[in-house]
Amino acid sequence: MTDARRVVVTGVGVLSPLGASAIESFQNAVGGRSAIRRLDAPWAARLEEPVGAPTACEPREAGPPSRLRMMDRSVRLGLDAVLQALTDARFDPTGADPARCGAFVGTALGGAGTTDEGYEAVYGQRSDRVRPHSVLAAMNHALAAWIGIDHAFAGPNLTFSTACSSAAVAIGEAARRIRGGDADVMLAGGAEAPLVFGVMRAWEALRAVARMDALDPSRSCRPFARDRSGLVLGEGAAFVLLEELGHARARGAPLRVELAGYGLANDRVHITRPSAEGQAAAMRAALADAGLEAREIGYVNAHGTATTQNDPVETEAIKRVFGADARRLPVSSTKAVHGHLLGAGGALEFVLSILALEQGVIPPTMHLEEPDPACDLDYVPGRARDGVSIEAVMSNAFAFGGSNATLIARRLVARRS
Amino acid sequence: MSTSLSLLQDILMREHALPRERVVPEAELAALGVDSLGLMELVFQVEERFGIRIREDPPTDLRTVGDVARYVDGLIDARPVAGVSPPAERGGSRPAP
C-alpha cells in the first residue's frame, strides 16, 4: 500500500465444508481431509453427479423461527461466520462509531435456495402458495443488510456479485473504503448456499462439474491433475474484519496480518473461457498495490477449479507474473477438499491463505497424482509443507465473465520508505 | 370459544419463541415482537391450516392476539361451507366450493 491509511485483518470467521471455524477449516485443509462427498438428499438422485461439499455443521441458530424464516440458508451461514470474525477480533460495537463501520458482501447466487423453493411450489407443485418472506430471503443483498441490523454497522453496506470472485472483490473493495477514509472498520467476505437441485442441475448443464469418483467421491475434485474433470460445488461462508491500522491499535485489537494488495482485471475475451493475460493482470495489479515484488510472495492459493480450462491458464498466468521464480513458488488449490464455494470461495481461500502465512504451513493440493503436462508448477501435491517462512501470500479468485481478483496479505511490518 | 385462538397461540409461541403465559388474548402483538412481517407469516399459516384465503390486507387496528383471533374467526364463518376444513395439503389448496 502506498497511501497513509493501512488495512489490517483483526478477525476471521469461517463456516465451511472443512469446519465450523477458521482454524478447524485450515487444519483440515492442511491434513488434506476432503469434505466432498456423495449427497444423500432425495433430490440428489436426479443429478448426474450427486456430489458436493456441504458445510461441516449447520449454521448456529440466530433467533426464533420468525427471524430465521426471513433468511435464506446463505444468510444464516454468513451471519455465523460474521459473528466468529467479530469475536475473533474482540470487537465491541459499543466502542465504535456505527457510521464508520461497514459491511461488504460477495455472493454469486444470493438466496438461490429460496428462489428454488418458490419455483418448486409454483411450477413443480402448481401451487399459488409462496411463503410471504420469499422476497426478503431471496434478495441478494440480504446478508449485508442483516449484518448492518445485527451489529449496528451503519456505514457503507454493499453486495458484490461477480460470480466466483465475488467475495474477493468484496474484501478488496472494503479495504479500499478504509484506505480512502470512508470507514475505519469493514466486515467483508462472502456466503453461498448452492446445494439445491435447480442450481446444481444448471451447473451440470454447463458441463463444468466433476464426474463423481465412483470409488471415492471425496476425490472427485482434482485440480491441476491430468484426470481432472471439473469443479465440485460447495457451500459456506467466510468473513474478515478489516480495520484501519491506527483504529485497531487504539483499541488493542489483535493485529493478524496486513491486507496489503488488491488487484482487479477483466479478461474482456469470453464469457467463460479464461485468459492468462487477464489473470496475470489481476496478480500484477495486486502486487503493485502492495508495493511488493513477485519474489516476495511465498505462497499462492490458486483459483484452481479443476476445470479443463482454468488450471493450465492459471498456470500460464502465474508464469507470466512470477517469471523464473514461478518454478520455486508453492501454489496450491484447496478446492480439492472444500469444493467451489462460488461467490464465497474468495473469502474462504483468503482466510486459509492468512492462516498459512501466520503458521508457516502451506496446505496441499490433494488428489494430484499425475499432473496435466500443461500444469508444471509446484502444486504442493498430497502433503502439506510446514516450517515455511512466508512474508506474503496471494489468493486468486477468478470468475466467469473474466472478472479476476487477487488479494495479497503480508506480515505486519513497519512501512518501507 | 374462538375457533382460531389456540392455533394462533401455538403459532406465536413457536415462531417467536414465547412462553404460553405471555400469549394471552389481551397480549399486544407489538409487545410480543410481532410486527407487520410477523403478521403476514401468521396469516399465511392460518390460511394453510384452515384452507382459507385472506385476500384483503388485515385491518390495521388488529392490536392484540384476541383481535386477530376474532378477525380470523369472522373469515372462517364467512366461508361458503361451515366448519373447519382439514389442514391443507402441501402446496395448499383452495377451500372446498
Side-chain angles (χ1 to χ4, degrees), chain A residues 34-53:
Chain A
S34 175
I36 290 169
R37 62 177 173 80
R38 185 184 187 102
L39 299 176
D40 50 18
W43 51 260
R46 293 174 60 200
L47 295 171
E48 288 173 23
E49 310 295 345
V51 63

Side-chain angles (χ1 to χ4, degrees), chain B residues 73-97:
Chain B
D73 288 347
L75 292 167
I76 294 169
D77 292 344
R79 288 185 313 172
V81 175
V84 177
S85 61
E89 298 293 320
R90 179 162 194 270
S93 59
R94 291 173 185 279

Side-chain angles (χ1 to χ4, degrees), chain B residues 2-22:
Chain B
S2 165
T3 306
S4 64
L5 179 63
S6 70
L7 172 77
L8 290 171
Q9 288 172 313
D10 287 347
I11 295 172
L12 289 169
M13 285 163 53
R14 184 175 67 242
E15 287 290 315
H16 298 270
L18 294 166
R20 179 169 286 282
E21 58 268 25
R22 283 193 62 197

Side-chain angles (χ1 to χ4, degrees), chain A residues 56-120:
Chain A
C57 67
E58 288 300 291
R60 278 144 280 204
E61 296 296 297
S66 57
R67 171 181 151 91
L68 298 179
R69 226 179 261 294
M70 288 188 269
M71 298 174 177
D72 183 76
R73 179 174 179 82
S74 59
V75 172
R76 297 203 301 274
L77 295 171
L79 289 177
D80 187 314
V82 161
L83 201 54
Q84 291 182 49
L86 291 168
T87 304
D88 186 47
R90 301 199 297 266
F91 185 77
D92 176 8
T94 60
D97 176 359
R100 303 286 300 165
C101 301
F104 280 7
V105 174
T107 186
L109 303 172
T114 299
T115 305
D116 199 64
E117 200 176 299
Y119 285 169
E120 163 63 11

Side-chain angles (χ1 to χ4, degrees), chain A residues 130-155:
Chain A
V130 178
R131 297 212 74 92
H133 297 346
S134 298
V135 170
L136 311 181
M139 61 191 195
N140 284 348
H141 74 305
L143 174 54
W146 281 110
I147 294 170
I149 293 164
D150 283 1
H151 301 293
F153 273 37

